[in-house]
Amino acid sequence: MSTQQAAPKPSLQGVRIKARKRAVKASAKHEPDVFRDQVFKHLENVPPTDFEAVTNKLVQAGSTLEYLKYADALFELLLVGGLLQPGGQYVEDGAPLSPFALLNAKEPVEVADVKQYVEVLNKLIRRYKYLQRPLEDSTLPNLFQYMNRWPEIQREKISVAAGLLMAQGLASASCLQSLTKDHLVKNDLSANVIALVFRSYLSAQSMEHLSATLKRGGIKDLLAFFPENKRTDKALDEHFRKAGLAQVAEWWTKRQYASLKDDVIKRLKEMLENGDSHTDVVAAIKARQEEQPLPDTELVSCIWQGLISSVEWSARQDQNEALALREITAFADIIEPFCNGPKTEVALINTVQVYSYEDTRIIKAFPQILKILYNKDCISDQAIIYWHQKGSKPQGRQHFLQAAAPLVKFFQEQESDDEDEE
């Protein structure tokens, strides 16, 4: 029996299978030192202080160099002048530092001078938008993480540049999270750095703009940048005022007041819902005021808000005015202990005015509410007269002044009669 030998399978000869570009890039070596030398080659004949020429060279180099792959290396060269190894120290391979780098900025540090270096980065990122993500997610957090290794003058340059980058929208405030690490927080290093960052930021933008940037970047608690023994509102206020940043201190104070006010209102509503006595409610407010004090004018305002928000309004509008007057009469004894001067009395009247303007259910009852608060010793006739003459808020001013005019006239006539008797 004969066996037939299997025919060999055909094969391609001399055919080169081309690999995908993505696969080639993935298998390519990561050689930041080679990239560094290529960047230096492009910049070798450019004067370091000719910022326009440096920008043009870097933009041109982007067409041939792999900026995306070596984004961190690129920014390290432009910011600190050389490649960094883990730990924040320069790679020691004998290579010189870049002639063009942020750390070559003038000393003492000037925001206007640093801004020229930042503008180079700005134009480069505008041309190659993919560079922004590595800058804010990797390069800046890494530099901040090792801030303690840099001399003070270099820290200042990096901080000022970071503030300007954030102000121009080229970096998120999330990069500041690296500064909350324990080894940086001690000895006030982080607190001093964020003061420098904020100062340079505010040279270009407003405090409201900075506040929004911090919120988007997830920076909720500035006290996290302070040593544990200094994590108090007082220490933070003193630090920023000493640094010439009173607007930051005031913003933080208002922000903390808002949080405290929310807590007071919430606690007040809970106690009223639980049926606690008015005496207990007053005692609880006073105890909280001793622990975390609010200005008297702010406190009386949030007490009113907490009390009025506990009212269960009727679906029928014609019943709400009478309901409001009855409820305010009932809880006036909670407000009265905290109306301890002309300022707090006028503040209470303004709080009632603004609330009545915003909640039109009781807008017509405004004069009657003033009468109740006067009869319950929450406000004086002098406070009402002062409010009517020059202390009112702009919200619905003309309406409320006209509505309260008969009551004010009565008090003025009464005052005139008293003077005649004397």
Side-chain angles (χ1 to χ4, degrees):
M1 184 175 173
S2 61
T3 58
Q4 191 172 5
Q5 202 169 13
K9 292 181 179 181
S11 62
L12 294 173
Q13 299 291 332
V15 176
R16 184 181 177 185
I17 300 174
K18 188 176 181 181
R20 292 178 177 272
K21 288 183 178 179
R22 187 180 301 171
V24 172
K25 288 185 177 180
S27 61
K29 289 183 180 180
H30 187 70
E31 299 175 316
D33 53 335
V34 175
F35 173 80
R36 172 198 61 201
D37 296 340
Q38 291 172 336
V39 172
F40 284 0
K41 188 73 175 173
H42 281 276
L43 296 177
E44 64 181 355
N45 295 321
V46 182
T49 55
D50 190 343
F51 296 96
E52 192 65 35
V54 170
T55 302
N56 293 335
K57 280 292 183 181
L58 289 172
V59 170
Q60 292 171 11
S63 61
T64 56
L65 300 182
E66 295 182 80
Y67 277 178
L68 180 58
K69 183 176 181 179
Y70 295 106
D72 283 336
L74 175 63
F75 286 123
E76 287 173 2
L77 295 175
L78 298 179
L79 291 172
V80 299
L83 300 177
L84 299 178
Q85 57 184 333
Q89 297 174 331
Y90 286 114
V91 173
E92 297 178 0
D93 59 358
L97 294 179
S98 172
F100 176 85
L102 170 68
L103 295 193
N104 294 333
K106 293 178 182 178
E107 299 176 9
V109 181
E110 298 175 5
V111 173
D113 183 52
V114 173
K115 193 172 184 178
Q116 297 179 93
Y117 291 87
V118 171
E119 192 59 30
V120 173
L121 300 181
N122 183 15
K123 291 178 180 178
L124 187 61
I125 292 172
R126 286 178 182 275
R127 175 62 182 83
Y128 301 103
K129 294 186 183 298
Y130 55 77
L131 289 174
Q132 182 172 349
R133 180 62 65 84
L135 174 65
E136 62 183 0
D137 288 356
S138 179
T139 305
L140 287 178
N142 190 50
L143 287 176
F144 282 135
Q145 183 178 348
Y146 301 113
M147 270 299 212
N148 57 320
R149 297 188 179 278
W150 297 99
E152 184 177 351
I153 193 68
Q154 308 294 45
R155 288 201 297 265
E156 185 176 355
K157 293 175 183 179
I158 294 170
S159 302
V160 171
L164 293 173
L165 287 167
M166 288 165 52
Q168 294 185 22
L170 299 175
S172 166
S174 60
C175 66
L176 299 175
Q177 293 285 8
S178 297
L179 291 168
T180 59
K181 295 185 177 181
D182 291 341
H183 69 284
L184 297 174
V185 167
K186 65 181 182 180
N187 300 325
D188 293 330
L189 189 147
S190 294
N192 291 331
V193 168
I194 62 167
L196 292 169
V197 172
F198 290 173
R199 183 184 293 117
S200 66
Y201 190 108
L202 292 171
S203 70
Q205 299 288 359
S206 66
M207 186 61 234
E208 290 74 19
H209 197 280
L210 173 58
S211 174
T213 297
L214 293 174
K215 185 177 181 180
R216 287 194 300 270
I219 306 298
K220 299 177 181 179
D221 187 8
L222 293 187
L223 294 176
F225 296 95
F226 289 76
E228 287 192 17
N229 63 338
K230 293 185 178 180
R231 288 180 182 173
T232 64
D233 294 332
K234 183 179 179 182
L236 185 145
D237 186 273
E238 290 176 354
H239 175 77
F240 284 111
R241 288 187 185 279
K242 187 177 179 181
L245 295 169
Q247 63 269 55
V248 176
E250 290 165 4
W251 165 78
W252 177 257
T253 300
K254 289 179 181 177
R255 189 169 176 267
Q256 294 305 95
Y257 283 166
S259 177
L260 290 175
K261 286 173 68 175
D262 289 342
D263 290 343
V264 170
I265 293 170
K266 182 180 178 182
R267 178 63 179 150
L268 196 54
K269 289 176 67 177
E270 288 175 353
M271 293 188 74
L272 292 173
E273 289 171 1
N274 294 336
D276 291 4
S277 69
H278 289 189
T279 303
D280 291 342
V281 173
V282 171
I285 296 172
K286 287 183 176 179
R288 187 175 186 84
Q289 186 70 351
E290 289 179 4
E291 294 175 6
Q292 296 176 302
L294 274 169
D296 292 341
T297 54
E298 298 285 347
L299 180 63
V300 75
S301 174
C302 67
I303 290 174
W304 164 271
Q305 292 173 33
L307 293 171
I308 201 70
S309 63
S310 67
V311 176
E312 295 181 4
W313 299 104
S314 170
R316 293 180 55 182
Q317 174 58 29
D318 59 333
Q319 296 179 351
N320 281 326
E321 289 182 23
L323 175 62
L325 297 176
R326 187 165 60 250
E327 291 291 333
I328 293 169
T329 302
F331 64 57
D333 60 331
I334 297 178
I335 303 177
E336 188 273 330
F338 303 97
C339 297
N340 48 18
K343 285 186 178 180
T344 54
E345 293 174 12
V346 174
L348 177 59
I349 299 173
N350 278 323
T351 300
V352 176
Q353 176 195 333
V354 173
Y355 180 83
S356 302
Y357 175 78
E358 295 175 348
D359 189 341
T360 55
R361 286 178 294 195
I362 63 171
I363 190 170
K364 292 181 180 179
F366 179 74
Q368 287 79 12
I369 294 173
L370 293 186
K371 285 181 184 179
I372 292 171
L373 294 175
Y374 170 74
N375 291 330
K376 292 290 183 177
D377 294 327
C378 295
I379 56 177
S380 65
D381 54 349
Q382 292 300 316
I384 296 173
I385 293 171
Y386 176 85
W387 168 83
H388 191 268
Q389 291 176 343
K390 53 184 177 182
S392 61
K393 292 285 186 181
Q395 292 92 327
R397 175 177 285 153
Q398 292 305 315
H399 168 81
F400 292 112
L401 292 181
Q402 186 175 354
L407 180 62
V408 172
K409 184 179 179 182
F410 169 77
F411 285 135
Q412 288 174 332
E413 290 175 350
Q414 194 176 45
E415 186 178 300
S416 177
D417 290 342
D418 291 342
E419 289 177 356
D420 290 343
E421 290 179 6
E422 291 177 3

